Amino acid sequence: MFLEIIEKISDEIIKNEEYLTELDREIGDGDHGVNLARGFSEIKNQLVNFKNLPVSDVFTKMGMILLTKVGGASGAIYGTAFMSAGTYLKGKTEFDNQILLGALNSMIEGIQRRGKAVLGEKTMLDTIIPTYNFLEKSFNDGKSLKEIKNEVIEVAKNSMEATKDIIATKGRASYLGERSVGHIDPGAMSSYLMIKTVCENI
């Protein structure tokens, strides 16, 4: 099941290659879609080798692929995120809500470490952190991921769309200053696509 979801995430990124590149052309280097599609195509090719591996190793290997095969900032940042989750999940075999939160939190920390970004700077964190906060609150209220998956998609979508209104202060987009307003951040969009795909396939 876990590998099926990774395959679906890969397909979703590959399918949206043009759109993500288009978003990045507006405010960045214009390579976000191309780079991520290259990385996830390679991940898809490698899935057959991941079959008997623990989840932690799969995350680590995905991170390594993104770090080595993908140019630009997105490969380094997503690669670090997946590797951070892999490190956190080492030796864990039970996957409950708290482990899921821990894995997501370690991804956020990896992104912050690598990208030196915080919430509100028009980056992928502007999709991921509000989603994390919503999950944490819902889990603390005793809800299961199945029950709230549609709401999670909604929160991620609204957070991603809200990056339109943020002035970029990180990465290539920051050179545009106020002209970056009115554009969705490509990293926020690719994060949304991943979150949406996971929720749709639970």
Side-chain angles (χ1 to χ4, degrees), residues 20 23-25 27-28 32 36 78 184-191:
L20 290 170
L23 287 178
D24 199 28
R25 233 176 251 134
I27 60 169
H32 190 69
L36 277 188
Y78 274 124
I184 289 171
D185 178 69
M189 175 58 80
S190 56
S191 296

Side-chain angles (χ1 to χ4, degrees), residues 4-5 26 29 31 34 37 49 54 76-77 80 85 89 99 104 117 131 147-148 156 162 165 169 179-180 194-195 197:
E4 269 172 46
I5 290 179
E26 303 280 344
D29 293 335
D31 59 2
V34 182
N49 304 321
I77 290 171
T80 302
L89 291 167
I99 299 275
L104 194 52
T131 305
E147 285 174 82
I148 58 167
D165 305 323
T169 53
R179 280 178 300 147
S180 63
M194 291 182 205
I195 291 165
T197 305

